[in-house]
């Protein structure tokens, strides 16, 4: 039987319970094992990053308006209003028309998230989309390294030495934003889950 995540686990990592935790726990248990995220160590990394990205499991929608993404061709925001319409949603804050489109294609319904971007705010789709992200970037392999391992990561055209938690954080966020908090949540998750 796969490892089971409870709302109490999420509350212990985040430091408080939230209204999203029961639904997230339900869909984590239903979806993560399908993506081979099923050991305490993998969940420690996965949930530490998720806790940071969702503001302690408080939200599945970016707090900012999204206007900063206007005209961002790298995100596929080519139409007026794409910035706000396709702002960050889900656990790892999927952002931009191109990323919403790719998720729809993966789900087998090309325009699913283009037509209804708010679906990524529902625990079912938030968990599914983050599992897709995790798997396509091979993050289980990184999560299963020992914490003392030094990994190589290309960052800003340089090869740098990073820990597994730093590697995963940079992959998710594109930089060191919130790295201290990500490390803190990882340490707490290890106490809670391992």
């Amino acid at each position: 039987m796969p490892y089971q995540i409870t709302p109490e686990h999420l509350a212990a990592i985040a430091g408080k319970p939230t209204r999203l935790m029961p639904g997230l726990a339900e869909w984590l248990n239903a979806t993560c094992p399908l993506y081979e995220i099923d050991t305490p160590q993998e969940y420690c990394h996965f949930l530490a990053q998720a806790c940071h990205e969702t503001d302690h499991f408080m939200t599945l929608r970016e707090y900012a308006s999204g206007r900063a993404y206007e005209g961002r061709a790298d995100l596929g925001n080519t139409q007026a209003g794409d910035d706000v319409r396709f702002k960050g949603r889900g656990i790892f804050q999927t952002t931009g028309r191109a990323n919403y489109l790719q998720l729809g294609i993966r789900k087998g319904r090309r325009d699913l998230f283009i037509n209804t971007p708010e679906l990524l705010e529902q625990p079912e789709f938030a968990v599914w989309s983050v599992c897709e992200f995790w798997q396509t970037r091979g993050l289980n392999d990184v999560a299963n390294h020992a914490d003392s391992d030094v990994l190589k990561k290309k960052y800003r055209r340089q090869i740098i030495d990073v820990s597994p938690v730093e590697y995963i954080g940079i992959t998710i966020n594109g930089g060191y934003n919130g790295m201290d908090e990500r490390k803190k949540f990882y340490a707490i998750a290890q106490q809670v889950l391992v």
Side-chain angles (χ1 to χ4, degrees), residues 31-37 46 92 103 106 127-143 168 171-172:
T31 310
C32 287
L34 302 174
Y35 290 83
E36 297 185 22
I37 304 162
F46 186 91
F92 286 177
L103 285 176
R106 282 198 193 109
V127 171
W128 170 80
S129 65
V130 77
C131 287
E132 284 284 324
F133 181 97
W134 191 266
Q135 183 181 61
T136 59
R137 284 143 182 96
L139 295 180
N140 259 356
D141 292 338
V142 178
I168 294 170
T171 300
I172 293 166

Side-chain angles (χ1 to χ4, degrees), residues 116-132:
T116 50
E118 299 82 12
L119 284 175
L120 289 176
E121 296 174 38
Q122 296 178 5
E124 174 185 359
F125 294 108
V127 171
W128 170 80
S129 65
V130 77
C131 287
E132 284 284 324

